Amino acid sequence: MTHATDTRAAAAADNPISKLWSNLSDSALKRGVFSTVYALKAPYFRTVLPRVREVVPGERCVIRLGKWWGVQNHIGTFHVIAALNGAEAAMGLLCETTVPTTHRWIPRGMRADYPAKSTGGLTITATADFPDFAEITRESGGQLVTINCEIRDDAGAEPVTAEIDVWVTAKRPK
């Protein structure tokens, strides 16, 4: 295990969202409660009803979006902006559970492509190569981290691709 991995593991262990997930991830009902709480934290996420399936701080977050009339476009497929809202929900949860409380993150940009029509619901997996947070200090400035969001529909196709950049900085000491 590298020093960066040790630092990220320690940060995740100290993170309140990671602790909440750890307490609520062992059953479908508890994951449903966690998903509801998470959607209430960022109200716009409620428009796609994200269901959190898996969170591994520093590695990945998996979210499921069911297909229902509220996420469909005029041709009956999953609306791309709804899919990207799900990607942002997955990215945000990965960042919230990974970035230590001594640091902060903010989305900086998104690149997306819509190569295919979707069928059914979507499963979104957000992954990233996070830095050693100990190296991000007030003096060193911030660091750009790119979150890759794999978006697959029920048929296994990838109707939307997305990368979301986040800017990570150290917080000012209190």
Side-chain angles (χ1 to χ4, degrees), residues 56 58-61 90-98 126-128 130:
V56 181
E59 290 185 29
R60 73 183 163 280
C61 175
M91 170 278 302
L93 187 52
L94 180 61
C95 288
E96 281 293 314
T97 59
T98 302
T127 59
F130 286 94

Side-chain angles (χ1 to χ4, degrees), residues 35-151:
S35 297
T36 300
V37 169
Y38 182 59
L40 290 172
K41 179 176 172 47
Y44 189 68
F45 293 159
R46 286 181 286 174
T47 65
V48 294
L49 305 175
R51 293 182 306 239
V52 181
R53 294 284 173 91
E54 180 183 20
V55 180
V56 181
E59 290 185 29
R60 73 183 163 280
C61 175
V62 180
I63 287 182
R64 172 78 181 157
L65 303 179
K67 186 174 176 195
W68 58 288
W69 66 267
V71 296
Q72 290 183 34
N73 59 21
H74 64 288
I75 60 173
T77 62
F78 215 100
H79 194 285
V80 70
I81 300 303
L84 293 173
N85 188 3
E88 191 167 341
M91 170 278 302
L93 187 52
L94 180 61
C95 288
E96 281 293 314
T97 59
T98 302
V99 175
T101 56
T102 55
H103 289 69
R104 62 178 165 231
W105 63 273
I106 188 165
R108 185 105 176 239
M110 178 187 285
R111 288 169 300 287
D113 190 28
Y114 328 138
K117 291 180 183 177
S118 64
T119 60
L122 301 177
T123 300
I124 302 166
T125 303
T127 59
D129 184 20
F130 286 94
D132 180 353
F133 295 106
E135 294 177 5
I136 303 173
T137 64
R138 298 277 308 151
E139 295 76 30
S140 69
Q143 185 167 339
L144 195 67
V145 177
T146 299
I147 312 294
N148 181 55
C149 296
E150 179 184 85
I151 303 168

